Amino acid sequence: MTTTVVAPSGCSLRPLAGVLTATAVSLTGTRVSAIALPWFVLATTGSATMTGLVAFAEMAPYVAVKALTGPLVDRLGPRVVSWTTDAVSAVAAGLVPLLHAQGLLPFWVLLVMVAVIGAMRGPGDLAKSVMVPEAADRAQVPMERATGLSGVTERLASTVGPAVGGGLVALIGPLAGLAINAGTFALGSLIIAIALPRGMGRSAVPAAATDPSEQEPPAGYWRMFREGFTFLRSEPLLLTVIVMIGITNLIDAGFVTVLVPVWARESGNGPAAIGLLAAVMGATAVVGSLIAAAVASRLPRRTVFFTGFLLCGAPRFLVLALGAPMWLVLTVVAISGFGSGFLNPIIGAVLFERVPRHLLGRVHALGDSLAWAGIPLGGLVAGAAVALVGLIPSLIVGGVLYFATTTLAGLRPEWREMDRRRGSETRADSTAVEPEPAHSA
């Protein structure tokens, strides 16, 4: 049974603003927690091993649960999944400082709380992302612009969150950062549950026919999961993008968690340089994302995509390997951040254009999980490389692998499809968009 897209009778930025605001609030709290939680564990246990275990306890459930909840997002609707998972995350995050203050937070309980937060964040992030194309439809905004604004939101959260988290930890202590994380989850839940217009974020599964003779039994979970997997396997471009992003995510994880800290120590620049590099790259990435949101719909995707990766990939590794002065390192990192700002808007637009709406949750969940699968391994691989061959060879090899992955991969024929469907109408088997006189998201 298929339905067609019904264009909204009017457009408004309220739904789009609502989804992006909820995303910004939740991601900012998560970034604050990324500073506060490790510091809390180090301060209370003094163990780097336990700190790493806590990080694993959050990310492993995030990736695994996100991969498996795509069918639930499609069946229940992204709105319900988003506000309920954020509400559970708020409770779990709030229990950490509360139980610690009462002396009731042994390490195993902390691991459980963190695992719950990670398991809820996965489907919560997925659900908000799935609502972006509906927002673009309702607001009559080009897909590149909607995904560009989503990218700006993520970049801003990644820039502001760590700064706020570091300041809070320094001034008040890590428990304040954890409490703010709980508050942001609660606020994000309220925004999605209350502020979005009625009818937005509904189930993507077609409703049952009114004629009993036409009714089909609802698809089970594993059938829905299999449908998403089968569709993804049939899309060479999406698979190629996911594999490429998965490799670069693994390399980036090693760069951020191991190679940059080791470089900061061996170069004598100290930990302040780590924050400075992250701030500069984050700020210029915001600029790139803003420009992408404004003009990316008029640019050739394939050219912009691989130019962005050329700027944000290998140069970062090589400038550190060459022992360049700090001003040159910051210049290269700034250019890298600018290039990276163009990537997510293009990736998101391609995904939303090629995947039918009733499969979007499943395909998006599988794709994201595959792309993130290497992140927990990045630090382990980079650490082993530094131990075996040293920092400079590891940086050079990392840069070469990044270049080969992002540039040579562009020779594959699948990439020609990147520009062919842009501007095309939403697929006929997408779920209907209910007219909304105010606006949509």
Side-chain angles (χ1 to χ4, degrees):
M1 178 178 178
T2 61
T3 55
T4 57
V5 175
V6 179
S9 58
C11 65
S12 166
L13 293 179
R14 177 187 158 199
L16 182 59
V19 171
L20 295 181
T21 300
T23 300
V25 168
S26 297
L27 287 179
T28 299
T30 299
R31 300 303 186 266
V32 170
S33 177
I35 301 294
L37 184 58
W39 195 264
F40 171 73
V41 178
L42 280 173
T44 54
T45 68
S47 171
T49 301
M50 288 185 173
T51 304
L53 185 58
V54 168
F56 179 82
E58 181 174 11
M59 289 310 302
Y62 180 98
V63 173
V65 175
K66 190 174 188 180
L68 296 173
T69 51
L72 297 180
V73 172
D74 286 337
R75 179 175 292 280
L76 299 177
R79 184 174 187 165
V80 171
V81 173
S82 178
W83 74 259
T84 53
T85 53
D86 277 359
V88 175
S89 295
V91 173
L95 283 174
V96 173
L98 181 62
L99 292 176
H100 178 73
Q102 300 297 320
L104 301 173
L105 190 67
F107 186 68
W108 70 268
V109 174
L110 176 63
L111 289 179
V112 171
M113 294 295 101
V114 170
V116 170
I117 294 171
M120 294 297 101
R121 272 186 56 212
D125 290 351
L126 170 66
K128 294 180 187 66
S129 180
V130 166
M131 284 190 282
V132 169
E134 183 182 350
D137 289 345
R138 289 172 174 259
Q140 300 176 10
V141 171
M143 195 62 69
E144 289 94 339
R145 185 163 300 168
T147 55
L149 291 172
S150 179
V152 170
T153 301
E154 294 175 6
R155 300 292 185 180
L156 282 172
S158 297
T159 303
V160 174
V164 173
L168 284 172
V169 170
L171 293 175
I172 308 176
L175 290 180
L178 298 176
I180 284 184
N181 189 29
T184 57
F185 277 127
L187 180 58
S189 177
L190 287 174
I191 291 172
I192 294 296
I194 298 174
L196 298 185
R198 181 179 56 85
M200 183 176 172
R202 297 173 303 173
S203 169
V205 178
T210 56
D211 186 350
S213 64
E214 298 180 3
Q215 288 185 1
E216 297 179 2
Y221 171 86
W222 288 112
R223 177 182 167 186
M224 294 179 68
F225 186 90
R226 186 170 60 253
E227 288 173 350
F229 179 81
T230 300
F231 178 86
L232 182 60
R233 190 175 57 183
S234 71
E235 282 284 337
L237 175 59
L238 293 182
L239 280 177
T240 304
V241 170
I242 289 167
V243 171
M244 175 178 162
I245 300 300
I247 296 173
T248 59
N249 277 345
L250 186 150
I251 300 173
D252 278 329
F255 181 80
V256 171
T257 60
V258 175
L259 299 182
V260 170
V262 173
W263 164 82
R265 183 189 64 191
E266 294 189 1
S267 66
N269 288 302
I274 303 174
L276 184 58
L277 264 60
V280 169
M281 188 165 184
T284 55
V286 170
V287 175
S289 295
L290 285 170
I291 295 175
V295 303
S297 61
R298 301 192 294 272
L299 298 177
R301 285 179 180 169
R302 184 181 179 186
T303 301
V304 174
F305 185 75
F306 286 104
T307 300
F309 262 121
L310 182 64
L311 294 176
C312 78
R316 289 177 294 144
F317 292 80
L318 300 181
V319 74
L320 297 187
L322 293 174
M326 193 63 179
W327 68 267
L328 182 57
V329 171
L330 292 176
T331 300
V332 171
V333 168
I335 295 172
S336 296
F338 180 77
S340 71
F342 287 83
L343 300 178
N344 283 349
I346 295 175
I347 295 171
V350 170
L351 173 70
F352 293 142
E353 285 177 357
R354 301 184 74 88
V355 180
R357 292 291 170 81
H358 73 282
L359 294 175
L360 188 56
R362 284 161 272 181
V363 176
H364 200 339
L366 288 169
D368 277 6
S369 297
L370 291 172
W372 280 53
I375 291 179
L377 303 176
L380 298 176
V381 173
V386 171
L388 289 173
V389 300
L391 174 63
I392 293 178
S394 299
L395 286 167
I396 293 174
V397 170
V400 170
L401 289 175
Y402 214 110
F403 177 84
T405 301
T406 59
T407 303
L408 299 181
L411 301 176
R412 293 187 58 84
E414 294 89 344
W415 298 105
R416 299 170 189 166
E417 297 291 325
M418 184 169 274
D419 285 289
R420 289 183 180 173
R421 291 189 184 174
R422 68 183 307 161
S424 61
E425 294 298 323
T426 307
R427 292 190 175 192
D429 57 347
S430 299
T431 54
V433 177
E434 183 181 73
E436 169 62 34
H439 63 280
S440 69

